[in-house]
Amino acid sequence: AQKVTQAQTEISVVEKEDVTLDCVYETRDTTYYLFWYKQPPSGELVFLIRRNSFDEQNEISGRYSWNFQKSTSSFNFTITASQVVDSAVYFCALSVAGAQKLVFGQGTRLTINP
Amino acid sequence: DAGVTQSPTHLIKTRGQHVTLRCSPISGHKSVSWYQQVLGQGPQFIFQYYEKEERGRGNFPDRFSARQFPNYSSELNVNALLLGDSALYLCASTVTYAENQPQHFGDGTRLSIL
């Protein structure tokens, strides 16, 4: 069975601070995919990034960066110079080969204060 | 192009009733998945349909059923509603049935059981 753990339930920072959201996953499959989604108050889950198990290269997209480490089964998400618009619930999710279903973590509620 | 659309937006039912939720995928998308998100938790996978056939089922009772129509839209049916069925029901679509594809989510239907 697969499992995703987001230990940080809530994080609150002041605007312009850097913040890292942690994600730890469990799976016995050798081929798997990791995702991050953002959920604003409207409810829609917005796709941010996908990583496959064979690609440990870190990725940067503007103020967002992701650190994937297979050795620690982690896929952490960092927002640099946070902004109020970054306030949302962020979910880490996992899918494995042969099953399109996503297994989500509990989510981290991020609040950026002006 | 329109995103994933779900109807209704909100719904209030009483225990024991039946409910039907509807989802229209993004144009050209043939796979639809349903998730239940209880307040404060991550989404839980309910069903996946691809080309009108069920391709995956989560750990939900038989009171939950779904189907996909020739135009790839989908319905989620829940019978004998319980208080615990109160949740945000999310629909997601992808072009094909592939575990590496990011799922595109709708805004959800918020179901309240009284």
Side-chain angles (χ1 to χ4, degrees), chain B residues 23-71:
Chain B
C23 171
S24 293
I26 293 172
S27 177
H29 285 200
K30 299 181 179 180
S31 176
V32 170
S33 297
W34 287 95
Y35 292 81
Q36 180 197 65
Q37 186 179 15
V38 174
L39 192 62
Q41 297 183 19
Q44 297 286 318
F45 173 74
I46 310 175
F47 284 111
Q48 186 198 14
Y49 278 79
Y50 176 63
E51 290 284 13
K52 301 179 288 297
E53 290 190 7
E54 182 182 302
R55 292 299 189 99
R57 173 186 286 255
N59 188 24
F60 280 80
D62 292 342
R63 299 185 296 107
F64 288 76
S65 63
R67 56 180 175 169
Q68 187 177 34
F69 299 99
N71 66 354

Short mmCIF file of all heavy atoms in Angstrom, two decimals, chain B residues 23-71:
data_model
loop_
_atom_site.label_atom_id
_atom_site.label_comp_id
_atom_site.label_asym_id
_atom_site.label_seq_id
_atom_site.Cartn_x
_atom_site.Cartn_y
_atom_site.Cartn_z
N CYS B 23 -20.34 15.38 -13.52
CA CYS B 23 -19.01 15.89 -13.89
C CYS B 23 -18.84 15.86 -15.40
O CYS B 23 -19.13 14.84 -16.05
CB CYS B 23 -17.93 15.03 -13.23
SG CYS B 23 -16.25 15.37 -13.79
N SER B 24 -18.37 16.98 -15.95
CA SER B 24 -18.01 17.04 -17.36
C SER B 24 -16.51 17.26 -17.46
O SER B 24 -16.00 18.27 -16.95
CB SER B 24 -18.75 18.17 -18.07
OG SER B 24 -20.13 17.90 -18.12
N PRO B 25 -15.79 16.34 -18.10
CA PRO B 25 -14.33 16.48 -18.18
C PRO B 25 -13.93 17.56 -19.18
O PRO B 25 -14.76 18.07 -19.94
CB PRO B 25 -13.88 15.10 -18.66
CG PRO B 25 -15.03 14.60 -19.47
CD PRO B 25 -16.26 15.13 -18.78
N ILE B 26 -12.66 17.88 -19.16
CA ILE B 26 -12.11 18.78 -20.17
C ILE B 26 -12.30 18.14 -21.54
O ILE B 26 -12.15 16.91 -21.68
CB ILE B 26 -10.62 19.04 -19.89
CG1 ILE B 26 -10.47 19.84 -18.58
CG2 ILE B 26 -9.95 19.76 -21.04
CD1 ILE B 26 -9.04 20.00 -18.11
N SER B 27 -12.61 18.95 -22.53
CA SER B 27 -12.82 18.45 -23.88
C SER B 27 -11.61 17.65 -24.34
O SER B 27 -10.47 18.11 -24.25
CB SER B 27 -13.07 19.62 -24.83
OG SER B 27 -13.22 19.15 -26.16
N GLY B 28 -11.86 16.42 -24.83
CA GLY B 28 -10.76 15.57 -25.27
C GLY B 28 -10.25 14.62 -24.22
O GLY B 28 -9.48 13.70 -24.52
N HIS B 29 -10.65 14.81 -22.99
CA HIS B 29 -10.25 13.92 -21.90
C HIS B 29 -11.22 12.76 -21.81
O HIS B 29 -12.43 12.94 -21.82
CB HIS B 29 -10.23 14.67 -20.56
CG HIS B 29 -9.05 15.58 -20.41
ND1 HIS B 29 -8.61 16.04 -19.18
CD2 HIS B 29 -8.22 16.11 -21.32
CE1 HIS B 29 -7.57 16.81 -19.35
NE2 HIS B 29 -7.31 16.88 -20.64
N LYS B 30 -10.66 11.55 -21.71
CA LYS B 30 -11.50 10.35 -21.72
C LYS B 30 -11.53 9.64 -20.37
O LYS B 30 -12.27 8.69 -20.20
CB LYS B 30 -11.00 9.38 -22.80
CG LYS B 30 -11.06 9.95 -24.21
CD LYS B 30 -10.59 8.94 -25.23
CE LYS B 30 -10.68 9.52 -26.64
NZ LYS B 30 -10.22 8.55 -27.66
N SER B 31 -10.72 10.08 -19.44
CA SER B 31 -10.67 9.43 -18.13
C SER B 31 -11.20 10.38 -17.07
O SER B 31 -10.83 11.56 -17.04
CB SER B 31 -9.23 9.02 -17.80
OG SER B 31 -9.15 8.49 -16.50
N VAL B 32 -12.06 9.85 -16.20
CA VAL B 32 -12.63 10.64 -15.11
C VAL B 32 -12.45 9.89 -13.80
O VAL B 32 -12.68 8.68 -13.73
CB VAL B 32 -14.14 10.91 -15.34
CG1 VAL B 32 -14.77 11.51 -14.10
CG2 VAL B 32 -14.34 11.83 -16.53
N SER B 33 -12.02 10.61 -12.78
CA SER B 33 -11.87 10.03 -11.44
C SER B 33 -12.68 10.84 -10.45
O SER B 33 -12.87 12.05 -10.62
CB SER B 33 -10.40 10.03 -11.01
OG SER B 33 -9.61 9.22 -11.86
N TRP B 34 -13.12 10.17 -9.40
CA TRP B 34 -13.89 10.81 -8.32
C TRP B 34 -13.13 10.65 -7.00
O TRP B 34 -12.57 9.59 -6.72
CB TRP B 34 -15.27 10.17 -8.18
CG TRP B 34 -16.22 10.50 -9.27
CD1 TRP B 34 -16.48 9.78 -10.40
CD2 TRP B 34 -17.09 11.64 -9.34
NE1 TRP B 34 -17.43 10.41 -11.17
CE2 TRP B 34 -17.83 11.55 -10.53
CE3 TRP B 34 -17.30 12.75 -8.49
CZ2 TRP B 34 -18.77 12.52 -10.90
CZ3 TRP B 34 -18.25 13.69 -8.86
CH2 TRP B 34 -18.96 13.57 -10.05
N TYR B 35 -13.14 11.73 -6.22
CA TYR B 35 -12.50 11.75 -4.92
C TYR B 35 -13.45 12.35 -3.89
O TYR B 35 -14.23 13.25 -4.21
CB TYR B 35 -11.21 12.58 -4.93
CG TYR B 35 -10.09 11.99 -5.76
CD1 TYR B 35 -10.06 12.16 -7.14
CD2 TYR B 35 -9.07 11.27 -5.16
CE1 TYR B 35 -9.04 11.62 -7.90
CE2 TYR B 35 -8.03 10.74 -5.91
CZ TYR B 35 -8.03 10.91 -7.28
OH TYR B 35 -7.02 10.36 -8.03
N GLN B 36 -13.33 11.86 -2.65
CA GLN B 36 -14.08 12.44 -1.53
C GLN B 36 -13.09 13.15 -0.61
O GLN B 36 -12.08 12.56 -0.22
CB GLN B 36 -14.80 11.34 -0.75
CG GLN B 36 -15.60 11.86 0.44
CD GLN B 36 -15.98 10.76 1.43
OE1 GLN B 36 -15.11 10.16 2.05
NE2 GLN B 36 -17.27 10.51 1.58
N GLN B 37 -13.38 14.39 -0.27
CA GLN B 37 -12.51 15.14 0.64
C GLN B 37 -13.31 15.60 1.86
O GLN B 37 -14.10 16.53 1.79
CB GLN B 37 -11.88 16.34 -0.06
CG GLN B 37 -10.85 17.05 0.81
CD GLN B 37 -10.18 18.22 0.13
OE1 GLN B 37 -10.64 18.72 -0.90
NE2 GLN B 37 -9.07 18.67 0.68
N VAL B 38 -13.10 14.92 2.95
CA VAL B 38 -13.71 15.30 4.22
C VAL B 38 -12.94 16.50 4.77
O VAL B 38 -11.73 16.61 4.59
CB VAL B 38 -13.67 14.11 5.20
CG1 VAL B 38 -14.16 14.51 6.57
CG2 VAL B 38 -14.48 12.94 4.66
N LEU B 39 -13.64 17.36 5.45
CA LEU B 39 -13.06 18.60 5.96
C LEU B 39 -11.79 18.34 6.76
O LEU B 39 -11.77 17.51 7.67
CB LEU B 39 -14.08 19.32 6.84
CG LEU B 39 -13.75 20.77 7.23
CD1 LEU B 39 -13.65 21.66 6.00
CD2 LEU B 39 -14.77 21.32 8.21
N GLY B 40 -10.72 19.02 6.38
CA GLY B 40 -9.46 18.90 7.10
C GLY B 40 -8.59 17.74 6.69
O GLY B 40 -7.53 17.52 7.28
N GLN B 41 -9.01 17.00 5.67
CA GLN B 41 -8.23 15.85 5.22
C GLN B 41 -7.91 15.96 3.74
O GLN B 41 -8.46 16.80 3.03
CB GLN B 41 -8.99 14.55 5.50
CG GLN B 41 -9.24 14.29 6.97
CD GLN B 41 -9.93 12.95 7.20
OE1 GLN B 41 -9.92 12.08 6.33
NE2 GLN B 41 -10.53 12.79 8.35
N GLY B 42 -7.02 15.08 3.28
CA GLY B 42 -6.73 15.01 1.86
C GLY B 42 -7.80 14.23 1.12
O GLY B 42 -8.53 13.44 1.72
N PRO B 43 -7.92 14.44 -0.18
CA PRO B 43 -8.91 13.69 -0.97
C PRO B 43 -8.64 12.19 -0.93
O PRO B 43 -7.49 11.76 -0.92
CB PRO B 43 -8.71 14.26 -2.38
CG PRO B 43 -8.10 15.60 -2.18
CD PRO B 43 -7.22 15.45 -0.99
N GLN B 44 -9.74 11.42 -0.93
CA GLN B 44 -9.67 9.97 -0.96
C GLN B 44 -10.27 9.47 -2.27
O GLN B 44 -11.38 9.87 -2.63
CB GLN B 44 -10.45 9.37 0.21
CG GLN B 44 -9.90 9.74 1.58
CD GLN B 44 -8.62 9.02 1.93
OE1 GLN B 44 -8.49 7.82 1.66
NE2 GLN B 44 -7.66 9.73 2.49
N PHE B 45 -9.58 8.57 -2.95
CA PHE B 45 -10.01 8.05 -4.24
C PHE B 45 -11.25 7.18 -4.11
O PHE B 45 -11.30 6.29 -3.24
CB PHE B 45 -8.86 7.24 -4.85
CG PHE B 45 -9.20 6.50 -6.10
CD1 PHE B 45 -9.36 7.17 -7.30
CD2 PHE B 45 -9.37 5.12 -6.08
CE1 PHE B 45 -9.67 6.48 -8.45
CE2 PHE B 45 -9.67 4.42 -7.22
CZ PHE B 45 -9.82 5.10 -8.41
N ILE B 46 -12.24 7.44 -4.98
CA ILE B 46 -13.47 6.63 -4.97
C ILE B 46 -13.53 5.73 -6.20
O ILE B 46 -13.65 4.51 -6.08
CB ILE B 46 -14.73 7.53 -4.93
CG1 ILE B 46 -14.65 8.58 -3.83
CG2 ILE B 46 -15.97 6.65 -4.71
CD1 ILE B 46 -15.84 9.57 -3.85
N PHE B 47 -13.51 6.35 -7.39
CA PHE B 47 -13.64 5.59 -8.63
C PHE B 47 -12.80 6.23 -9.72
O PHE B 47 -12.51 7.41 -9.70
CB PHE B 47 -15.08 5.63 -9.17
CG PHE B 47 -16.06 4.76 -8.45
CD1 PHE B 47 -17.05 5.33 -7.68
CD2 PHE B 47 -16.02 3.38 -8.57
CE1 PHE B 47 -17.96 4.55 -7.02
CE2 PHE B 47 -16.93 2.59 -7.91
CZ PHE B 47 -17.91 3.18 -7.13
N GLN B 48 -12.44 5.38 -10.72
CA GLN B 48 -11.92 5.91 -11.96
C GLN B 48 -12.60 5.20 -13.12
O GLN B 48 -12.77 3.97 -13.10
CB GLN B 48 -10.42 5.75 -12.09
CG GLN B 48 -9.91 6.45 -13.33
CD GLN B 48 -8.55 6.01 -13.77
OE1 GLN B 48 -8.05 5.00 -13.32
NE2 GLN B 48 -7.94 6.80 -14.63
N TYR B 49 -12.96 5.98 -14.15
CA TYR B 49 -13.53 5.43 -15.37
C TYR B 49 -12.72 5.90 -16.56
O TYR B 49 -12.28 7.06 -16.63
CB TYR B 49 -14.99 5.88 -15.54
CG TYR B 49 -15.95 5.04 -14.75
CD1 TYR B 49 -16.10 5.24 -13.38
CD2 TYR B 49 -16.68 4.02 -15.35
CE1 TYR B 49 -16.96 4.44 -12.63
CE2 TYR B 49 -17.54 3.23 -14.61
CZ TYR B 49 -17.68 3.44 -13.25
OH TYR B 49 -18.52 2.65 -12.52
N TYR B 50 -12.54 4.98 -17.50
CA TYR B 50 -11.84 5.30 -18.75
C TYR B 50 -12.57 4.59 -19.88
O TYR B 50 -12.80 3.38 -19.80
CB TYR B 50 -10.38 4.88 -18.70
CG TYR B 50 -9.64 5.09 -20.00
CD1 TYR B 50 -9.46 6.37 -20.50
CD2 TYR B 50 -9.11 4.01 -20.71
CE1 TYR B 50 -8.78 6.59 -21.68
CE2 TYR B 50 -8.43 4.21 -21.90
CZ TYR B 50 -8.26 5.51 -22.37
OH TYR B 50 -7.59 5.71 -23.55
N GLU B 51 -12.91 5.34 -20.89
CA GLU B 51 -13.67 4.79 -22.02
C GLU B 51 -14.89 4.00 -21.54
O GLU B 51 -15.16 2.88 -22.01
CB GLU B 51 -12.76 3.89 -22.88
CG GLU B 51 -11.71 4.64 -23.65
CD GLU B 51 -12.28 5.36 -24.88
OE1 GLU B 51 -13.53 5.47 -25.02
OE2 GLU B 51 -11.50 5.80 -25.73
N LYS B 52 -15.57 4.57 -20.58
CA LYS B 52 -16.85 4.06 -20.07
C LYS B 52 -16.73 2.79 -19.23
O LYS B 52 -17.74 2.21 -18.84
CB LYS B 52 -17.84 3.85 -21.22
CG LYS B 52 -18.11 5.15 -21.98
CD LYS B 52 -19.06 4.95 -23.14
CE LYS B 52 -18.42 4.19 -24.28
NZ LYS B 52 -17.29 4.92 -24.88
N GLU B 53 -15.51 2.39 -18.94
CA GLU B 53 -15.32 1.20 -18.10
C GLU B 53 -14.64 1.58 -16.79
O GLU B 53 -13.75 2.44 -16.76
CB GLU B 53 -14.46 0.17 -18.83
CG GLU B 53 -15.15 -0.48 -20.01
CD GLU B 53 -14.37 -1.65 -20.55
OE1 GLU B 53 -13.36 -2.04 -19.95
OE2 GLU B 53 -14.76 -2.18 -21.61
N GLU B 54 -15.04 0.91 -15.71
CA GLU B 54 -14.43 1.16 -14.42
C GLU B 54 -13.00 0.61 -14.42
O GLU B 54 -12.78 -0.57 -14.72
CB GLU B 54 -15.25 0.49 -13.31
CG GLU B 54 -14.70 0.74 -11.92
CD GLU B 54 -15.50 0.02 -10.84
OE1 GLU B 54 -16.71 0.24 -10.73
OE2 GLU B 54 -14.88 -0.80 -10.11
N ARG B 55 -12.05 1.44 -14.07
CA ARG B 55 -10.65 1.04 -14.06
C ARG B 55 -10.05 1.04 -12.65
O ARG B 55 -8.94 0.54 -12.46
CB ARG B 55 -9.82 1.99 -14.92
CG ARG B 55 -10.12 1.90 -16.39
CD ARG B 55 -9.86 0.52 -16.97
NE ARG B 55 -9.96 0.50 -18.41
CZ ARG B 55 -8.90 0.55 -19.23
NH1 ARG B 55 -7.69 0.63 -18.72
NH2 ARG B 55 -9.08 0.52 -20.54
N GLY B 56 -10.78 1.56 -11.71
CA GLY B 56 -10.28 1.56 -10.35
C GLY B 56 -11.39 1.89 -9.38
O GLY B 56 -12.32 2.63 -9.69
N ARG B 57 -11.28 1.31 -8.18
CA ARG B 57 -12.29 1.53 -7.16
C ARG B 57 -11.56 1.64 -5.82
O ARG B 57 -10.72 0.79 -5.49
CB ARG B 57 -13.28 0.38 -7.12
CG ARG B 57 -14.28 0.42 -5.99
CD ARG B 57 -15.12 -0.84 -5.98
NE ARG B 57 -16.11 -0.82 -7.07
CZ ARG B 57 -17.41 -0.59 -6.89
NH1 ARG B 57 -17.88 -0.37 -5.69
NH2 ARG B 57 -18.23 -0.60 -7.92
N GLY B 58 -11.90 2.65 -5.06
CA GLY B 58 -11.31 2.83 -3.75
C GLY B 58 -12.08 2.06 -2.69
O GLY B 58 -13.02 1.33 -2.98
N ASN B 59 -11.69 2.25 -1.45
CA ASN B 59 -12.28 1.52 -0.33
C ASN B 59 -13.54 2.23 0.16
O ASN B 59 -13.55 2.84 1.24
CB ASN B 59 -11.26 1.37 0.79
CG ASN B 59 -11.75 0.45 1.89
OD1 ASN B 59 -12.61 -0.40 1.65
ND2 ASN B 59 -11.22 0.64 3.08
N PHE B 60 -14.58 2.17 -0.62
CA PHE B 60 -15.87 2.78 -0.28
C PHE B 60 -16.96 1.72 -0.36
O PHE B 60 -16.86 0.78 -1.14
CB PHE B 60 -16.18 3.94 -1.24
CG PHE B 60 -15.46 5.21 -0.89
CD1 PHE B 60 -14.14 5.40 -1.26
CD2 PHE B 60 -16.09 6.21 -0.17
CE1 PHE B 60 -13.45 6.55 -0.91
CE2 PHE B 60 -15.42 7.38 0.17
CZ PHE B 60 -14.10 7.55 -0.19
N PRO B 61 -18.01 1.87 0.44
CA PRO B 61 -19.09 0.87 0.44
C PRO B 61 -19.86 0.85 -0.87
O PRO B 61 -19.76 1.77 -1.68
CB PRO B 61 -19.98 1.31 1.62
CG PRO B 61 -19.67 2.76 1.81
CD PRO B 61 -18.23 2.94 1.44
N ASP B 62 -20.67 -0.20 -1.03
CA ASP B 62 -21.44 -0.37 -2.26
C ASP B 62 -22.52 0.69 -2.44
O ASP B 62 -23.13 0.77 -3.51
CB ASP B 62 -22.09 -1.76 -2.28
CG ASP B 62 -21.06 -2.86 -2.41
OD1 ASP B 62 -19.93 -2.54 -2.83
OD2 ASP B 62 -21.38 -4.01 -2.10
N ARG B 63 -22.75 1.48 -1.42
CA ARG B 63 -23.70 2.59 -1.57
C ARG B 63 -23.19 3.61 -2.60
O ARG B 63 -23.97 4.41 -3.12
CB ARG B 63 -23.88 3.31 -0.23
CG ARG B 63 -24.42 2.48 0.89
CD ARG B 63 -24.68 3.32 2.14
NE ARG B 63 -23.46 3.88 2.72
CZ ARG B 63 -23.14 5.18 2.65
NH1 ARG B 63 -23.93 6.05 2.04
NH2 ARG B 63 -22.02 5.61 3.22
N PHE B 64 -21.92 3.58 -2.86
CA PHE B 64 -21.31 4.48 -3.84
C PHE B 64 -21.23 3.75 -5.18
O PHE B 64 -20.74 2.61 -5.26
CB PHE B 64 -19.91 4.89 -3.41
CG PHE B 64 -19.88 5.85 -2.25
CD1 PHE B 64 -20.11 5.41 -0.95
CD2 PHE B 64 -19.62 7.19 -2.45
CE1 PHE B 64 -20.09 6.29 0.11
CE2 PHE B 64 -19.60 8.08 -1.39
CZ PHE B 64 -19.83 7.63 -0.11
N SER B 65 -21.68 4.41 -6.24
CA SER B 65 -21.57 3.84 -7.58
C SER B 65 -21.35 4.99 -8.56
O SER B 65 -21.60 6.16 -8.24
CB SER B 65 -22.82 3.05 -7.95
OG SER B 65 -23.96 3.89 -8.00
N ALA B 66 -20.88 4.64 -9.74
CA ALA B 66 -20.62 5.68 -10.74
C ALA B 66 -20.77 5.08 -12.12
O ALA B 66 -20.84 3.86 -12.29
CB ALA B 66 -19.22 6.27 -10.55
N ARG B 67 -20.83 5.96 -13.09
CA ARG B 67 -20.82 5.51 -14.47
C ARG B 67 -20.30 6.64 -15.34
O ARG B 67 -20.29 7.80 -14.94
CB ARG B 67 -22.21 5.09 -14.92
CG ARG B 67 -23.30 6.14 -14.76
CD ARG B 67 -24.63 5.61 -15.25
NE ARG B 67 -25.73 6.55 -15.02
CZ ARG B 67 -26.93 6.42 -15.54
NH1 ARG B 67 -27.20 5.40 -16.34
NH2 ARG B 67 -27.88 7.31 -15.27
N GLN B 68 -19.87 6.25 -16.54
CA GLN B 68 -19.38 7.22 -17.51
C GLN B 68 -20.18 7.07 -18.79
O GLN B 68 -20.45 5.95 -19.23
CB GLN B 68 -17.89 7.02 -17.79
CG GLN B 68 -17.28 8.11 -18.67
CD GLN B 68 -15.79 7.94 -18.88
OE1 GLN B 68 -15.28 6.83 -18.95
NE2 GLN B 68 -15.08 9.05 -19.00
N PHE B 69 -20.53 8.17 -19.39
CA PHE B 69 -21.39 8.18 -20.57
C PHE B 69 -20.56 8.26 -21.85
O PHE B 69 -19.36 8.57 -21.80
CB PHE B 69 -22.36 9.35 -20.47
CG PHE B 69 -23.26 9.26 -19.27
CD1 PHE B 69 -22.98 9.97 -18.11
CD2 PHE B 69 -24.37 8.44 -19.28
CE1 PHE B 69 -23.79 9.88 -17.00
CE2 PHE B 69 -25.20 8.35 -18.18
CZ PHE B 69 -24.91 9.06 -17.03
N PRO B 70 -21.19 8.00 -23.01
CA PRO B 70 -20.45 8.04 -24.28
C PRO B 70 -19.75 9.37 -24.54
O PRO B 70 -18.74 9.41 -25.25
CB PRO B 70 -21.54 7.76 -25.33
CG PRO B 70 -22.52 6.90 -24.60
CD PRO B 70 -22.55 7.45 -23.19
N ASN B 71 -20.26 10.47 -23.97
CA ASN B 71 -19.59 11.76 -24.17
C ASN B 71 -18.51 11.99 -23.10
O ASN B 71 -17.98 13.09 -23.00
CB ASN B 71 -20.60 12.90 -24.16
CG ASN B 71 -21.27 13.07 -22.79
OD1 ASN B 71 -21.06 12.27 -21.88
ND2 ASN B 71 -22.06 14.13 -22.66
#
